[in-house]
């Protein structure tokens, strides 16, 4: 699981209002080289919660990202390369994602997070959600 | 790997011999091939569309998301691929299929897009989905394993009707969705629901086999549809008929259109 994906995941448990970011428990990190594409990074930058990415990359052992970032930094190749590495090349291979509100653990096995919920945790079981957009 | 080099030169799809399998995972079948054929048929448009985020809901063997990644290219072309399935075996098999083809997608075990809906809202440029569309008793919906790949409940619509609002939430302003439907799913009614959310639709591939008649429908956000749908809601009670008629004219040659409520077979 890339940190880009971590940045897109929130706790989906019923009743949780602040499920982002998920805390990371690390058992194994792998690095996989990815072709560099500045346009892709510039496209994604505005969609990234920067602090969550910085914290996650530090937990995975990469401390090169600045605490704060702004769009003007996208002109710097050095910044883009660090952003690229943190976002795409660091993988949480084994470990867990933990709901910040409930401490519920979502395991990550072979790089695959498992976000499946038990029935009593599942917001989709409330009829209101399903009926909101159906006639 | 020589064949990986050659795949850069022309439009390629996943190779069946490299698609991984498991007895609890749906193997690529006529519906999967029809969906990939629809993506191939629309490939030039997809390349021009330059999607940043592409997602498959219900990835099964991984045949479709792998084919999409091969067709459109990876990060070098600026795309991030995601694939989800409720069946943990399917997600593992998808990862193996992706690796066997030398492409990457992020795979997540989850129900439709649960856990992604908040942060990924409005970010997905292309969704592909081959939903569980087979009409079954409602009890079979939500069963584990391979049953989850096809059990669709009444008219095969139980899961489709859950996916539609989720897709609407995830799709970007320029978002497209390709969905497999069966005649029994009442695709005209699906199109109408999506029209009310502001999407236009067209059929990219129509295919009849001995067992089923499949339509691969492409949806895209369309400002005119939204205006029309809003008018319907706010001002004109008679408008639904008009909308249905305009959709009828959009797909003139489809027999199911006239017999929208008939189930096939």
């Amino acid at each position: 699981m890339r940190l880009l994906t971590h940045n897109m995941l929130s706790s989906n448990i019923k009743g949780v209002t602040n499920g982002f970011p998920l805390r990371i428990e690390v058992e194994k990190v792998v690095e996989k080289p990815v072709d560099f594409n500045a346009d892709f990074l510039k496209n994604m930058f505005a969609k990234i919660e920067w602090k969550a990415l910085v914290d996650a990359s530090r937990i995975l052992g990469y401390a090169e990202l600045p605490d704060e970032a702004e769009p003007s930094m996208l002109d710097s190749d050095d910044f883009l390369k660090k952003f690229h590495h943190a976002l795409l090349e660091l993988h949480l291979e084994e470990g867990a994602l933990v709901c910040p509100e409930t401490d519920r653990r979502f395991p990550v096995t072979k790089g695959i997070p498992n976000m499946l919920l038990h029935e009593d945790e599942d917001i989709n079981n409330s009829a209101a959600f399903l009926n909101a957009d159906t006639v | 790997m020589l064949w990986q080099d050659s795949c850069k030169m022309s439009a390629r799809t996943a190779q069946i011999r490299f698609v991984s399998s498991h007895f609890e995972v749906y193997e690529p079948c006529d519906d999967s091939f029809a969906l990939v054929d629809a993506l191939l048929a629309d490939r030039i448009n997809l390349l021009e569309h330059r999607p940043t985020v592409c997602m498959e809901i219900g990835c099964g063997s991984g045949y479709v998301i792998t084919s999409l990644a091969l067709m459109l290219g990876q990060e070098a072309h600026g795309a991030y691929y995601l694939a989800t399935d409720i069946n943990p075996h399917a997600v593992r098999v998808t990862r193996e299929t992706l690796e066997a083809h030398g492409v990457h997608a992020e795979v997540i075990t989850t129900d439709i897009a649960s856990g992604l809906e908040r942060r990924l809202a409005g970010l997905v440029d292309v969704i592909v989905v081959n939903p569980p569309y087979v009409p079954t008793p409602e009890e079979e919906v939500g069963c584990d394993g391979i049953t989850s790949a096809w059990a669709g409940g009444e008219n095969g619509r139980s899961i489709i009707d859950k996916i539609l609002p989720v897709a609407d939430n995830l799709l970007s302003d320029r978002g497209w969705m390709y969905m497999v439907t069966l005649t029994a799913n009442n695709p005209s009614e699906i199109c109408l629901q999506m029209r009310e959310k502001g999407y236009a639709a067209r059929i990219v591939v129509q295919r009849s086999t001995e067992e089923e008649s499949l339509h691969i429908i492409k949806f895209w956000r369309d400002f005119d549809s939204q205006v029309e749908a809003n008018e319907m809601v706010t001002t004109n009670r008679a408008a639904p008929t008009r909308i249905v008629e305009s959709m009828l004219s959009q797909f003139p040659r489809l027999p199911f259109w006239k017999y929208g409520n008939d189930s096939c077979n």
Side-chain angles (χ1 to χ4, degrees):
Chain A
M1 185 196 72
R2 292 173 172 173
L3 293 187
L4 171 52
T5 302
H6 170 259
N7 212 274
M8 294 298 151
L9 281 171
S10 314
S11 173
N12 47 355
I13 298 169
K14 184 158 65 179
V16 167
T17 54
N18 195 11
F20 181 88
L22 295 159
R23 287 202 311 274
I24 298 179
E25 290 180 6
V26 179
E27 283 173 37
K28 184 181 175 192
V29 175
V30 295
E31 294 186 20
K32 298 177 192 170
V34 170
D35 289 343
F36 180 81
N37 182 309
D39 289 338
F40 177 74
L41 296 168
K42 289 171 184 174
N43 273 335
M44 289 309 296
F45 179 76
K47 301 160 185 172
I48 296 299
E49 290 272 353
W50 188 256
K51 187 176 185 315
L53 178 66
V54 172
D55 292 347
S57 63
R58 285 181 186 162
I59 290 165
L60 266 56
Y62 184 72
E64 301 295 313
L65 289 184
D67 284 334
E68 286 176 21
E70 54 183 77
S72 65
M73 297 165 92
L74 294 169
D75 296 332
S76 153
D77 281 349
D78 180 57
F79 172 78
L80 283 177
K81 283 185 177 138
K82 288 172 178 171
F83 181 31
H84 170 82
H85 182 66
L87 195 69
L88 302 175
E89 295 187 322
L90 290 175
H91 290 249
L92 179 64
E93 188 71 5
E94 301 288 336
L97 305 174
V98 183
C99 172
E101 254 183 55
T102 65
D103 293 335
R104 204 291 206 175
R105 293 175 82 253
F106 298 95
V108 177
T109 311
K110 292 186 177 169
I112 303 170
N114 184 336
M115 302 301 292
L116 291 180
L117 298 172
H118 305 299
E119 224 164 73
D120 58 343
E121 297 172 317
D122 194 347
I123 195 167
N124 288 348
N125 282 336
S126 80
F129 177 85
L130 285 183
N131 292 337
D133 281 307
T134 53
V135 178
Chain B
M1 292 186 200
L2 280 175
W3 71 269
Q4 277 186 14
D5 291 334
S6 68
C7 80
K8 289 172 187 160
M9 297 163 69
S10 61
R12 287 287 299 261
T13 60
Q15 304 292 294
I16 289 300
R17 66 184 189 280
F18 292 117
V19 173
S20 191
S21 64
H22 182 280
F23 71 97
E24 284 286 7
V25 177
Y26 189 76
E27 289 186 8
C29 206
D30 290 336
D31 47 353
S32 331
F33 301 138
L35 179 51
V36 168
D37 286 348
L39 298 171
L40 274 175
D42 217 29
R43 177 171 172 267
I44 301 298
N45 291 329
L46 279 162
L47 286 169
E48 285 177 2
H49 194 54
R50 293 183 162 271
T52 299
V53 182
C54 300
M55 176 174 188
E56 180 172 20
I57 295 172
C59 51
S61 67
Y63 174 76
V64 176
I65 190 73
T66 301
S67 295
L68 185 66
L70 287 169
M71 250 180 252
L72 301 186
Q74 291 270 282
E75 289 79 9
H77 301 268
Y80 164 50
Y81 295 87
L82 275 163
T84 68
D85 204 294
I86 197 169
N87 176 353
H89 302 297
V91 175
R92 269 201 309 279
V93 166
T94 290
R95 182 176 152 145
E96 290 165 7
T97 298
L98 287 158
E99 282 175 358
H101 290 83
V103 292
H104 183 84
E106 291 285 281
V107 291
I108 301 170
T109 308
T110 195
D111 184 6
I112 304 179
S114 183
L116 291 163
E117 288 176 67
R118 182 180 144 193
R119 289 278 300 133
L120 208 59
L123 296 189
V124 183
D125 299 314
V126 172
I127 291 178
V128 294
V129 53
N130 182 3
Y133 56 66
V134 179
T136 63
E138 210 58 41
E139 308 86 79
E140 291 183 23
V141 176
C143 286
D144 287 344
I146 195 164
T147 308
S148 67
W150 47 266
E154 188 178 357
N155 298 326
R157 283 288 293 274
S158 290
I159 305 298
I160 289 174
D161 287 347
K162 285 189 188 180
I163 291 172
L164 298 179
V166 174
D168 177 40
N169 173 49
L170 293 179
L171 283 168
S172 68
D173 288 344
R174 59 195 199 97
W176 294 353
M177 174 166 69
Y178 300 83
M179 178 182 264
V180 181
T181 65
L182 192 65
T183 309
N185 303 145
N186 196 352
S188 59
E189 204 277 330
I190 294 173
C191 292
L192 184 60
Q193 267 197 41
M194 289 302 281
R195 190 160 188 109
E196 285 168 4
K197 298 178 196 297
Y199 293 82
R202 78 176 169 90
I203 289 164
V204 185
V205 165
Q206 178 182 5
R207 188 163 299 169
S208 295
T209 67
E210 282 178 20
E211 294 174 348
E212 54 193 17
S213 177
L214 297 167
H215 298 91
I216 315 303
I217 305 177
K218 176 183 177 181
F219 298 95
W220 66 97
R221 283 197 196 273
D222 179 73
F223 183 70
D224 292 339
S225 301
Q226 196 140 27
V227 169
E228 202 168 328
N230 286 345
E231 278 173 4
M232 177 190 83
V233 172
T234 55
T235 62
N236 191 346
R237 293 276 163 199
T241 316
R242 182 165 58 88
I243 287 174
V244 172
E245 278 168 3
S246 75
M247 288 171 63
L248 277 165
S249 66
Q250 201 178 347
F251 307 104
R253 284 172 297 174
L254 291 174
F256 76 78
W257 227 252
K258 290 176 186 166
Y259 315 109
N261 289 321
D262 284 2
S263 58
C264 80
N265 303 328

